[in-house]
Amino acid sequence: MVPTKPTRTTNPRLAPLAPGGPTENRADRARSEPMAVIALGDGRYDVVVRGGAAYTVSLDEGTCTCPDYRYRERRCKHRRRVAIDVTERRVPAPDERDATCAACGDPAFVAADAPDPAYCAACTLAPGTLVRDRERGDVLVVVETLRERATGVAVGDHTVADHPTNDGYDPRDAVVEAVYPTREATPDALRERGVRTYAFPRARLERLSR
C-alpha cells in the first residue's frame, strides 16, 4: 500500500463526543478525541483531527488513509468515529446526502439519488394525512407520495408540471396523490373501487394534521 499524506482542511469545528472520556483503546479515542466528520459522497468521509489534518475514510471499502490503517490494517479511530456519527445521525449514511427541506427549511438527510426539491421525513406527506389545496381551499386526504417528479407524471393531456392549474410551482417538485375524504385511502383499495385520485405538486398542499 502506497503511503499518502493527510490532507488539510480550513477550520472545521472539532469536538469530542465524550469530553474527558477514557483513551485506552481506539473505540475510546473515537469518542474522547476532538474530530470533525465531513461527508464527501459515495460512502467517503474526511475525518479532521487536531491541527487541521484530515484522513479519508471509505465505509464501503472499510479503509482509511491514516497510518494506523495503512500499516496495521486495523479498524482505526477514524473509521470508528465515522460509524458513530452515521449511526447517531450527525452525518448522512453512504446512501444519503445532505439537503435542505423545501417545506420547513431544516437540514435533512435524503436518498443520494433524490432530486431537489427534497423533503425531510416530517414533511413527507404520508398516506392518510389531511391536506388543503392552496389554490382551491379544498381539504383532501393523501393517498401516496410518488417517487416520480411533476415533469414525469401525466394528468390527462398534461403532466403535473405543465398543467395550467400548477403554473408557478417547481416543475421538479414531488407529486402527491390525494382524494376527497373517503373511508378507503389506500392506493389498491381506491383503484379497485374506481375512486378518482388527484395529483398535485407537493408545494401546493398544506398539511392540516400530522
Side-chain angles (χ1 to χ4, degrees):
M1 187 176 296
V2 179
T4 58
K5 292 183 179 180
T7 57
R8 299 184 70 86
T9 63
T10 56
N11 212 23
R13 181 179 179 274
L14 276 64
L17 300 178
T23 59
E24 281 78 13
N25 54 51
R26 293 176 178 86
D28 289 341
R29 292 193 290 275
R31 288 189 171 275
S32 61
E33 292 185 8
M35 303 183 199
V37 177
I38 302 169
L40 304 176
D42 297 324
R44 297 169 61 250
Y45 302 80
D46 270 353
V47 180
V48 187
V49 298
R50 187 182 287 113
Y55 299 102
T56 301
V57 169
S58 171
L59 282 188
D60 294 337
E61 297 175 2
T63 61
C64 181
T65 57
C66 74
D68 191 24
Y69 176 80
R70 291 206 314 266
Y71 298 120
R72 302 178 185 88
E73 295 194 356
R74 303 293 296 273
R75 189 164 181 256
C76 62
K77 61 187 178 184
H78 311 106
R79 288 173 60 196
R80 293 172 187 269
R81 176 60 181 265
V82 170
I84 292 169
D85 276 16
V86 168
T87 300
E88 297 182 358
R89 305 299 290 165
R90 280 184 286 272
V91 295
D95 60 351
E96 297 176 326
R97 67 175 178 87
D98 283 303
T100 299
C101 177
C104 66
D106 288 345
F109 299 151
V110 300
D113 61 352
D116 287 320
Y119 295 89
C120 68
C123 293
T124 298
L125 298 176
T129 302
L130 283 176
V131 292
R132 178 182 288 114
D133 178 1
R134 298 180 190 275
E135 298 301 319
R136 295 172 53 91
D138 296 341
V139 174
L140 301 104
V141 180
V142 171
V143 175
E144 189 176 9
T145 293
L146 306 181
R147 183 171 179 80
E148 295 85 352
R149 294 287 153 153
T151 54
V153 177
V155 180
D157 296 332
H158 303 274
T159 66
V160 172
D162 61 20
H163 195 279
T165 62
N166 294 327
D167 184 40
Y169 291 96
D170 192 330
R172 303 166 301 157
D173 204 356
V175 173
V176 177
E177 280 193 339
V179 295
Y180 287 92
T182 177
R183 291 183 180 180
E184 300 282 0
T186 64
D188 289 342
L190 290 166
R191 293 181 184 113
E192 184 177 337
R193 289 179 53 204
V195 176
R196 181 178 178 183
T197 62
Y198 298 84
F200 299 87
R202 166 63 181 84
R204 179 170 165 171
L205 300 176
E206 175 189 7
R207 183 199 298 270
L208 296 181
S209 66
R210 289 186 179 273

